[in-house]
Amino acid sequence: MIFNKRGLKLDSPEHSFYINNVRLEVVNEYKYLGFILKPSGSISLGMDSLFDKASRAWFSISNLIYRDKRMSYKRASQLFNSLISPIVLYASEYWFPFSLAKKSLSTKDKLLQSWDQFRGEVLQQKFCRLFLSVMKKTS
C-alpha cells in the first residue's frame, strides 16, 4: 500500500517496489495487527470493522445477561469489560484522536454530545439499558 492524500491505488510501473526481483503487490486496504488501513490514511473502515465485531460479540452475550435476571451488576459489567470493551477499543491509542472533530473540543457541551455518539459508548449504553431493563430511548 502506498499512502497518498487521494487514497488512489497507485499501481503504475513508476510506483513499483521489488524484493529479490519479486514485485510487491499494491493493495486498496491492508489489515495491520487487526486494524484496517486505507491508502488515504482514513481510519473509518478500521473503526467500523471493530464496531461490527464488538456488536456481534455483544449480541452473543446479551442473551446470557438478559436470561439470567439474578446476575449481579458486578459480574455482568465484568463480562462486558472483559469481552466487549477490548474489541471496540482495540488500537484506540491510534485512531481515537482522529475520531473526534476539532469543533467538538471547543466547549464542554459539544464534547459531551460527541461522546454520546462514540461507538464504544453506544455499546456501553446498550449494556446498561439491558441490565436495568429500561427502554431503548432512555437517557
Side-chain angles (χ1 to χ4, degrees):
M1 178 183 324
I2 301 172
F3 290 99
N4 58 72
K5 289 182 181 180
R6 290 184 169 180
L8 300 173
K9 182 179 178 182
L10 301 175
D11 203 15
S12 61
E14 62 213 31
H15 295 106
S16 298
F17 295 94
Y18 295 89
I19 294 180
N20 296 332
N21 294 327
V22 177
R23 184 172 185 252
L24 295 177
E25 179 185 2
V26 178
V27 295
N28 283 332
E29 62 184 46
Y30 183 72
K31 188 179 279 191
Y32 180 70
L33 296 175
F35 191 77
I36 299 173
L37 300 170
K38 298 286 283 182
S40 66
S42 172
I43 57 170
S44 60
L45 187 63
M47 289 172 49
D48 291 343
S49 72
L50 291 176
F51 180 73
D52 290 343
K53 290 176 186 178
S55 294
R56 281 186 256 128
W58 163 245
F59 182 74
S60 64
I61 70 161
S62 66
N63 290 332
L64 175 75
I65 294 172
Y66 181 75
R67 280 187 269 139
D68 189 3
K69 295 291 184 185
R70 294 184 182 172
M71 184 182 290
S72 69
Y73 177 77
K74 184 177 179 180
R75 178 170 233 155
S77 65
Q78 186 178 20
L79 275 173
F80 183 85
N81 291 333
S82 62
L83 297 174
I84 308 304
S85 293
I87 298 170
V88 77
L89 295 176
Y90 181 74
S92 61
E93 298 86 0
Y94 169 69
W95 57 259
F96 186 72
F98 302 110
S99 67
L100 289 176
K102 288 181 184 178
K103 63 182 176 184
S104 68
L105 300 175
S106 61
T107 65
K108 185 172 96 174
D109 293 333
K110 288 182 180 180
L111 179 62
L112 292 174
Q113 187 178 23
S114 66
W115 182 253
D116 283 341
Q117 297 169 356
F118 175 59
R119 291 184 163 192
E121 182 64 19
V122 169
L123 283 174
Q124 178 74 29
Q125 289 176 9
K126 283 183 181 181
F127 161 72
C128 291
R129 287 182 187 119
L130 176 78
F131 188 79
L132 295 173
S133 300
V134 295
M135 297 179 70
K136 289 181 187 178
K137 304 226 176 193
T138 304
S139 60

